[in-house]
Amino acid sequence: MTTTPEQALPLLHRTVRPEWIDYNGHMSEAFYVLVFGHATDAMMIEAGLHSAYRESSGCSLYTVESHIRYLNDVPEGAHLAVRTRILGAAAKKAHFVHELFVLDEAESPVPEGAEPVATSELLALHVDQQAGRTTPFPEDIQGRLASFTEAAPDWAGRSIAPVA
């Protein structure tokens, strides 16, 4: 199943704060992870894995693997937008990606053909926190995740090449 633009997850917007800037004068790698983490939280809310769900079920989504690509420098004050795509969801796991863009204006849409400044690919498991093990998604959440499923970008699924 592939989503239409009306079904796509909403963009997450942030502005790069002064304390996010490292000794090289651009956004530090730790803050890319922070912004991508906020995008994962926003995706979870849209999918029904929000705080009320976690409190009532004792279940949550745990990231078990991620791969970040830093593609371009991001300066202080930059307006960021994160586009999230669900690539697939099985009974107990979800595979998704985030693409980070720098925009000319806060809260604006990502222009057609814009290139991301960073990407993140993640695998997450649905975990029963009390039992300490994975558990299947409820049907409604599995359906919601499926409704957001999109085709994978060409960069997804790659690994880091060994140094020769």
Side-chain angles (χ1 to χ4, degrees):
M1 169 183 270
T2 301
T3 84
T4 63
E6 301 81 40
Q7 296 170 307
L9 290 162
L11 294 174
L12 174 85
H13 292 275
R14 293 289 185 267
T15 300
V16 177
R17 298 175 180 198
E19 61 269 22
W20 295 3
I21 302 303
D22 68 12
Y23 43 83
N24 293 317
H26 51 75
M27 194 161 91
S28 175
E29 64 188 78
F31 294 99
Y32 286 84
V33 175
L34 175 74
V35 172
F36 287 138
H38 289 173
T40 296
D41 293 344
M43 178 274 296
M44 289 173 63
I45 290 166
E46 292 292 325
L49 297 164
H50 42 65
S51 60
Y53 169 79
R54 290 189 302 273
E55 289 172 20
S56 67
S57 70
C59 297
S60 188
L61 203 59
Y62 284 27
T63 299
V64 294
E65 186 173 346
S66 69
H67 181 190
I68 297 176
R69 298 183 316 144
Y70 303 93
L71 305 171
N72 212 331
D73 295 343
V74 176
E76 180 181 335
H79 303 295
L80 306 176
V82 182
R83 181 174 188 265
T84 300
R85 301 186 212 191
I86 306 291
L87 304 185
K92 300 177 183 180
K93 60 187 170 184
H95 180 203
F96 53 99
V97 296
H98 302 301
E99 295 169 296
L100 180 66
F101 298 91
V102 173
L103 306 177
D104 290 335
E105 298 179 28
E107 304 295 317
S108 61
V110 175
E112 188 70 34
E115 292 293 322
V117 295
T119 64
S120 179
E121 180 175 8
L122 300 106
L123 177 65
L125 300 177
H126 187 242
V127 174
D128 178 328
Q129 296 173 307
Q130 184 85 10
R133 63 178 180 268
T134 59
T135 189
F137 289 111
E139 260 184 58
D140 60 326
I141 291 175
Q142 178 74 30
R144 189 103 168 117
L145 289 167
S147 76
F148 290 131
T149 300
E150 298 186 52
D154 62 357
W155 52 265
R158 295 184 183 170
S159 63
I160 297 173
V163 176

